[in-house]
Amino acid sequence: MDPQQRIQELTQRLHHLNNQYYQHDISEVSDQEFDAMLAELNQLEKAYPDLAQPNSPTQRVGGTITKQFATAQHRYPMLSLGNTYSEDDLREFDERVQRGLEGAPYSYVCEQKFDGVAMSLHYATGELQQGVTRGDGTRGDVVTANVRTIRTLPLHLHANFPADVEVRGEVFMPNQVFNDLNQEREQNGEALLANPRNAASGALKLQDSALVAARRLRFYAYSVLTPGRHFTSHSESLEAAAAWGLPVSPTWRRCANIQEVLDYIHEWAQKRFELPVNTDGIVIKVDNLRQQDQLGLTAKSPRWAIAYKYPAAAARTELLRIEYNVGRTGAVTPVAHLTPVPLAGTIVKRASVHNANQIALLDLRIGDMVFVEKGGEIIPKITGVDFAARPAGAEPIRYPSECPACGTPLVRPEGEAHYRCPNERGCPPQLKARLEHYVSRKALNIDGLGAETVGRFFDLGLVKTPADIYDLPQRRAELIGLERLGEKSIDNLIAGIEKSKTVPFERVLFGLGIRYVGETVAQKLAQHYRNMAAIMAASAKEMAEVPEVGGVIADSLALWSQQPENQHLVQRLQAAAVPLEVTGEPPKAVSDRLAGLTFVLSGVFENYSREQLQELIQQHGGKITGSISKKLSYLVAGENMGPAKREKATTLKVPIISENELLALLPTAEAD
Ligand code: IVH
């Protein structure tokens, strides 16, 4: 191919992929494919320097800053690392180091390459001052409030720290947390997070640090920078960082030579899957800091370090069949069943194929030998077909046009990737999943009636909707004698049902499993409307104004409330004495200083949490709303407020005030 054309093609593709990755958290290709394209472009540019473009993707560190946060300049640029997938390259790296150090003895430190988000933390006199993302390498987003939510991160360092120190490391979401979070999102009918890295990066970009805290992020430090020379070696700085109380993964090791480096790499090839965090390789660093300086940097990366990346774990196995699962919200997801095959530390029997498009795109057929890969994702995915091994006469997979469970024709709402079964009232897996959700821990949490038992009762035709659960105590005689349920378990179950009538209303609202009404939204709605009747009487337009409840949620709720069977369900729950209102007095009015005024709160505040400020405003007679309109009295702006909100308020001439200016509006007792 014409080199000019190829350079252009690669440049465009890489720019696009960079943009997708850094702006939208989407990885369209594996790291390996990306690196291969970048390497090819690099080579072409070397061979044809005249054709190289000044803003080529090879000329930048990668990444860019997002719009919502204040940005800060990095004191020392945040570089990237040269990558390699081959041991030969590592030996060449070692030879370059040896030459660069002119025969002086040297050693290495090997570390895990954590797959998260790079972060720079500044500590002054031991206090955490600022957390900044890598951004484009020279400027990044200031996300201090979000970083402070990381529990394992010390806000002040222990003894013997330098007065001024920058700690760099990786913010990540532990795999276990990621799995729990996704399970919860699935139960709430919310879109799943693609992998722990995206989840961590998405969490750091949230504007409300209370939501960030719920993501339970963690941090591992991997470098310490001080003005002047504080340490003689990198390993010494890691030991010091740990002594100051910073989390340092204990997996690092000093290696006397390249052979020990290779041994470390081999040793961790499988062991890395036992770590709580995803890793995608090993970082090899020259240990002595003076030698690091001597070797210096290229434009983008240090000559004293390199990353070895393990090839993405892949396996080849047979596609046995595709099963179509129907979830609580009716979404149909295809799951591939495979001949079991070991992969990255587990035995893989199933893989995700995302949706119908993906099946067509891969041209999957039953009986095919397929390639499965575990990238950053926990559930492996099918990445391709070994076409040479395709059995003769293999038929293309026909995606069902009817619900595999109830036969209702599937629909595909515009803009959605999934087909959906619209038979909310009659489709068994949907009904069953709704019951399971209703009894789950974060909803009614009924002792003695777990997901499995309620599922079994459903299969036996004993319960169909949550209201049927409350008829069970009257059917004690019928239940006794059911296989695996003794008299004692039945009595426990009945006691559990009674006890569950004391849960707060918001948990019942969450338990109803209304699409998009997760825990937080249920809480906000309960606080705002105080009872189910008021929620069901509210219009979509009105609900959309409630903070944290947007138009999509409001529409879904209004639609739910209109349906006669849902109204009937609520009546029956009411008759069974299930809590359908907030108990206790509404917050006491303290003054009417803010009567007639409406407020929008945005960003992160210094002295009070957003909830506390909301309560204060309400106690003084003010109203909180969710969106900025001409009629709004004040926009209260905290740290990291989005520029779009500021712009809208400015255009509509809505006054923007700070937290302190808000407090100044209150009677003096509150303002101190
Ligand atoms: S050292 C100049 N050590 O990998 C060297 N980086 O391309 C600076 N990373 O996004 C990085 N684990 O956040 C270093 N143990 C480790 C690392 C690590 C993960 C990430 C880093 C950056 C990328 C470097």
Side-chain angles (χ1 to χ4, degrees):
M1 186 189 274
D2 171 19
Q4 183 164 13
Q5 197 185 338
R6 183 65 184 152
I7 287 180
Q8 234 170 35
E9 220 175 76
L10 286 167
T11 304
Q12 270 173 15
R13 180 89 180 120
L14 288 163
H15 274 316
H16 166 79
L17 292 171
N18 259 332
N19 186 51
Q20 289 291 88
Y21 184 82
Y22 288 106
Q23 298 293 304
H24 306 294
D25 283 332
I26 298 171
S27 315
E28 288 183 9
V29 297
S30 67
D31 285 4
Q32 198 162 356
E33 282 169 84
F34 183 92
D35 292 342
M37 280 191 267
L38 198 63
E40 186 187 343
L41 183 59
N42 228 332
Q43 289 220 316
L44 282 169
E45 287 177 345
K46 274 208 190 114
Y48 306 93
D50 296 351
L51 299 177
Q53 298 176 7
N55 69 344
S56 160
T58 55
Q59 297 308 307
R60 31 184 274 158
V61 172
T64 165
I65 40 187
T66 48
K67 294 190 193 68
Q68 295 97 323
F69 291 92
T71 63
Q73 175 102 22
H74 292 298
R75 200 154 15 143
Y76 324 93
M78 286 185 87
L79 301 171
S80 57
L81 290 166
N83 275 336
T84 171
Y85 291 88
S86 94
E87 298 189 2
D88 287 345
D89 282 358
L90 281 185
R91 292 185 201 277
E92 275 174 32
F93 163 77
D94 182 49
E95 281 160 22
R96 284 197 302 274
V97 168
Q98 198 170 2
R99 277 199 303 275
L101 297 178
E102 295 166 342
Y106 58 94
S107 60
Y108 293 111
V109 166
C110 283
E111 293 165 17
Q112 300 295 318
K113 189 167 189 303
F114 305 107
D115 196 11
V117 182
M119 182 64 58
S120 146
L121 304 172
H122 182 223
Y123 285 86
T125 54
E127 302 294 319
L128 175 62
Q129 296 290 321
Q130 204 177 39
V132 184
T133 64
R134 172 165 156 202
D136 63 3
T138 43
R139 285 192 88 81
D141 290 328
V142 179
V143 291
T144 317
N146 290 348
V147 165
R148 284 182 199 280
T149 68
I150 301 173
R151 296 263 187 92
T152 53
L153 194 68
L155 298 182
H156 28 250
L157 302 178
H158 305 173
N160 287 332
F161 47 78
D164 182 4
V165 57
E166 187 175 326
V167 177
R168 290 187 178 168
E170 204 81 353
V171 171
F172 62 93
M173 180 181 283
N175 292 335
Q176 184 62 48
V177 172
F178 171 79
N179 287 339
D180 290 351
L181 202 68
N182 254 354
Q183 207 171 11
E184 210 172 293
R185 291 173 82 97
E186 189 168 14
Q187 278 179 3
N188 297 340
E190 295 166 317
L192 297 190
L193 302 163
N195 56 52
R197 178 179 15 81
N198 283 11
S201 141
L204 283 173
K205 287 182 190 152
L206 292 171
Q207 300 284 328
D208 181 348
S209 45
L211 296 178
V212 185
R215 302 285 174 95
R216 287 174 282 162
L217 298 177
R218 295 205 7 210
F219 177 82
Y220 275 148
Y222 56 62
S223 85
V224 178
L225 301 164
T226 51
R229 177 71 71 228
H230 201 83
F231 304 107
T232 55
S233 68
H234 175 63
S235 50
E236 201 184 300
S237 75
L238 288 179
E239 277 160 358
W244 301 335
L246 286 158
V248 176
S249 166
T251 49
W252 66 275
R253 183 187 299 163
R254 266 190 215 98
C255 294
N257 52 46
I258 197 70
Q259 189 50 49
E260 287 190 22
V261 167
L262 293 173
D263 292 346
Y264 180 90
I265 289 175
H266 298 154
E267 186 180 320
W268 280 97
Q270 287 303 316
K271 240 170 53 180
R272 66 197 179 106
F273 297 113
E274 293 159 24
L275 294 171
V277 46
N278 277 352
T279 63
D280 60 349
I282 301 296
V283 182
I284 299 118
K285 303 175 181 174
V286 169
D287 192 21
N288 185 291
L289 297 183
R290 211 178 285 280
Q291 292 183 331
Q292 287 190 359
D293 287 348
Q294 196 181 339
L295 289 163
L297 317 168
T298 72
K300 293 164 294 165
S301 49
R303 289 202 189 87
W304 48 263
I306 193 165
Y308 171 83
K309 293 227 190 164
Y310 290 108
R316 183 175 167 278
T317 185
E318 189 186 355
L319 173 61
L320 300 174
R321 66 194 168 89
I322 302 262
E323 187 181 81
Y324 299 90
N325 289 337
V326 184
R328 175 157 64 83
T329 58
V332 177
T333 40
V335 177
H337 288 247
L338 310 166
T339 301
V341 60
L343 175 65
T346 55
I347 304 284
V348 172
K349 302 187 194 83
R350 284 179 304 177
S352 65
V353 257
H354 300 306
N355 51 46
N357 286 347
Q358 191 68 11
I359 293 181
L361 211 65
L362 292 169
D363 185 20
L364 283 185
R365 307 200 182 172
I366 304 299
D368 270 342
M369 293 306 290
V370 294
F371 299 105
V372 281
E373 247 180 51
K374 252 192 203 171
E377 287 76 15
I378 300 297
I379 308 162
K381 61 180 178 211
I382 296 189
T383 53
V385 173
D386 183 354
F387 290 110
R390 171 163 284 171
E395 283 283 312
I397 291 165
R398 252 179 19 100
Y399 203 87
S401 54
E402 278 137 30
C403 174
C406 73
T408 306
L410 297 179
V411 293
R412 184 170 185 172
E414 217 177 286
E416 287 190 22
H418 286 287
Y419 281 93
R420 205 169 276 285
C421 167
N423 181 17
E424 286 163 30
R425 263 173 278 175
C427 178
Q430 291 186 55
L431 293 173
K432 189 164 163 176
R434 282 212 291 275
L435 281 168
E436 286 168 354
H437 173 69
Y438 187 79
V439 302
S440 67
R441 199 168 47 82
K442 292 192 166 165
L444 275 284
N445 191 21
I446 302 182
D447 281 345
L449 187 61
E452 201 186 321
T453 312
V454 87
R456 206 167 140 225
F457 286 1
F458 175 84
D459 292 338
L460 292 167
L462 287 165
V463 290
K464 206 168 157 196
T465 77
D468 297 332
I469 291 173
Y470 301 94
D471 293 340
L472 290 173
Q474 286 112 63
R475 303 170 72 171
R476 185 173 178 275
E478 226 177 307
L479 299 179
I480 291 176
L482 283 182
E483 195 195 337
R484 276 182 289 148
L485 274 179
E487 208 161 323
K488 188 142 175 264
S489 349
I490 302 294
D491 287 334
N492 276 344
L493 185 156
I494 290 173
I497 291 175
E498 273 314 310
K499 203 179 103 208
S500 77
K501 292 180 185 172
T502 58
V503 304
F505 165 48
E506 65 206 41
R507 301 225 328 237
V508 180
L509 180 57
F510 169 65
L512 291 173
I514 302 166
R515 199 158 171 222
Y516 304 122
V517 181
E519 254 182 301
T520 317
V521 171
Q523 209 178 30
K524 303 283 167 191
L525 285 164
Q527 263 166 20
H528 191 92
Y529 287 104
R530 305 196 60 80
N531 64 59
M532 193 66 198
I535 292 175
M536 292 185 79
S539 70
K541 192 158 171 279
E542 193 193 316
M543 280 187 285
E545 289 293 301
V546 179
E548 318 269 337
V549 181
V552 178
I553 303 176
D555 286 344
S556 155
L557 256 163
L559 191 71
W560 189 92
S561 301
Q562 277 160 23
Q563 283 160 10
E565 75 274 10
N566 292 333
Q567 293 167 0
H568 183 60
L569 168 68
V570 171
Q571 278 163 14
R572 284 184 63 203
L573 291 176
Q574 177 105 49
V578 175
L580 291 176
E581 59 184 30
V582 175
T583 49
E585 292 294 304
K588 269 262 178 303
V590 176
S591 86
D592 57 1
R593 189 65 68 89
L594 305 181
L597 299 179
T598 50
F599 296 81
V600 165
L601 299 172
S602 178
V604 183
F605 299 98
E606 221 174 296
N607 304 305
Y608 290 89
S609 73
R610 191 188 294 219
E611 281 68 30
Q612 286 170 326
L613 288 181
Q614 278 179 8
E615 206 179 305
L616 265 179
I617 290 173
Q618 284 161 345
Q619 282 174 347
H620 292 277
K623 268 182 85 170
I624 309 283
T625 90
S627 63
I628 298 172
S629 73
K630 233 168 52 195
K631 283 181 281 174
L632 182 69
S633 316
Y634 292 104
L635 168 62
V636 190
E639 192 191 341
N640 295 341
M641 183 180 80
K645 281 206 170 132
R646 183 176 293 278
E647 207 176 300
K648 191 161 179 200
T650 313
T651 317
L652 297 176
K653 301 207 168 57
V654 172
I656 304 176
I657 59 172
S658 67
E659 179 184 12
N660 284 333
E661 287 168 310
L662 166 69
L663 297 176
L665 293 176
L666 304 176
T668 39
E670 301 285 351
D672 52 33

